[in-house]
Amino acid sequence: MSGHQCTENPPHLDPNSGSGHVEKLGNLDTYVSGSTHSKLAVLLVSHVFGYETPNLRKLADKVAEAGFYAVVPDFFHGDPYNPEDKDRPLLIWAKDHGQEKGFEDSKPIVEALKNKGITSIGAAGFCWGAKVAVELAKQKLVDATVLLHPSRVTVDDIKEVNIPIAVLGAELDQVSPPELVRQFEDILASKPEVKSFVKIFPSVKHGWTVRYNENDPSEVEAAEEAHKDMLAWLIDYVK
C-alpha cells in the first residue's frame, strides 16, 4: 500500500448507497445485500476507502443478484482512509488498520455467516482487502477467493493457497505489477491440483475495479469485465 496508486481517484463515500442495508455481523457494521435464504455467501473485503464506496456496494448488489448473500464489512470501524486529512497520510493511517487485524476481524464474520446457515463462502479482496482474502484462503476459512489488484500479497502467500483462487491484475499496476502477478501465475501453474485463474487487464491501473470513472466508457468496460470474471469464478467454486 505504499504506492500512490492506492489512493488515486478517491471515491465519494455514501452511507446510503446500494440497494441493501447495514447491520451488525460479527461485531462489525456490514453492508448486506441479497436473500437471507441463500446458502451461499460472498465476503467482499474493501480497499482503504472502506465499505461506503458506492462502486463496491454496487458490485455487492451484482453479486447478490447472482444468488449470493453478499456482505461488505466495515473493517475500519468508521475510520476509512481520508486523503484530505493531511496529518494522517496512508502509512500513518495503516498503522491503525493493519491487514493482519483485518484478517482477525474477518474470522467472526465467517462464523456469523455459518451461524446463519450459510454452507459455502467465497471471498473477494480489493487492494488492502486482497491480503485479508488471501489469508482466509490460506487458512481454508473460505471455499474460493478472488484477489483484485492486490496489495502486499506475496509469492509466499500464493504458495500456501490450496483452494480455488483467481488473481486479477492490471498492466499499469505499480503496487502489484504484472511481473509479480506472473510469478503468482507460475506458482499456481506448478500446482495443478489447485484450480486457478490469472489475468492481467491491459491499459488499466491499480484499483480499476472499484475506483473507475463512471463517465469514462473504457474504464467502465474494463471494470465490468473484471466483475464478470470475478463473478464467474465465485459461481463455479462457491456452491
Side-chain angles (χ1 to χ4, degrees):
M1 279 189 312
S2 57
H4 71 283
Q5 284 189 335
C6 284
T7 58
E8 283 182 347
N9 304 322
H12 297 288
L13 303 184
D14 181 359
N16 298 312
S17 58
S19 59
H21 67 276
V22 174
E23 63 179 56
K24 285 286 185 186
L25 189 69
N27 298 319
L28 294 182
D29 286 338
T30 302
Y31 176 79
V32 301
S33 185
S35 171
T36 54
H37 301 297
S38 177
K39 298 296 183 185
L40 311 176
V42 173
L43 166 58
L44 294 96
V45 191
S46 77
H47 56 173
V48 298
F49 296 103
Y51 85 135
E52 292 181 353
T53 299
N55 285 345
L56 182 58
R57 290 191 175 186
K58 187 188 297 183
L59 179 53
D61 292 342
K62 195 182 294 186
V63 170
E65 287 168 10
F68 296 101
Y69 186 62
V71 300
V72 191
D74 177 15
F75 285 106
F76 307 135
H77 302 270
D79 182 38
Y81 173 67
N82 178 5
E84 295 182 5
D85 185 351
K86 302 306 180 188
D87 294 328
R88 207 159 169 237
L90 182 63
L91 292 180
I92 300 298
W93 174 89
K95 290 180 179 178
D96 295 324
H97 301 291
Q99 290 154 310
E100 298 79 7
K101 183 178 184 301
F103 171 56
E104 292 303 319
D105 284 347
S106 72
K107 293 177 182 177
I109 298 287
V110 170
E111 279 305 307
L113 289 171
K114 290 179 178 177
N115 290 339
K116 285 178 175 286
I118 298 291
T119 57
S120 186
I121 303 171
F126 305 80
C127 186
W128 182 97
K131 182 71 169 182
V132 175
V134 82
E135 291 295 335
L136 286 164
K138 286 159 58 177
Q139 300 293 330
K140 294 187 176 179
L141 295 176
V142 293
D143 299 295
T145 193
V146 184
L147 312 181
L148 302 97
H149 38 86
S151 168
R152 292 187 62 214
V153 173
T154 66
V155 163
D156 286 340
D157 286 329
I158 299 299
K159 286 178 179 176
E160 292 184 49
V161 173
N162 289 300
I163 65 164
I165 177 171
V167 183
L168 306 183
E171 180 187 17
L172 307 178
D173 197 326
Q174 297 168 359
V175 181
S176 289
E179 296 77 18
L180 178 61
V181 176
R182 290 193 187 98
Q183 283 184 271
F184 295 167
E185 185 174 30
D186 290 343
I187 290 163
L188 292 167
S190 73
K191 301 196 294 183
E193 72 281 5
V194 178
K195 300 294 184 185
S196 64
F197 174 74
V198 178
K199 183 173 177 178
I200 297 171
F201 285 69
S203 306
V204 293
K205 295 181 180 180
H206 182 81
W208 91 96
T209 69
V210 284
R211 283 187 274 127
Y212 55 90
N213 178 355
E214 290 184 321
N215 297 315
D216 184 328
S218 64
E219 288 194 18
V220 171
E221 183 180 357
E224 289 182 345
E225 183 181 342
H227 299 164
K228 193 177 297 183
D229 289 341
M230 180 196 86
L231 198 50
W233 191 256
L234 294 169
I235 289 170
D236 279 349
Y237 294 106
V238 181
K239 52 189 177 183

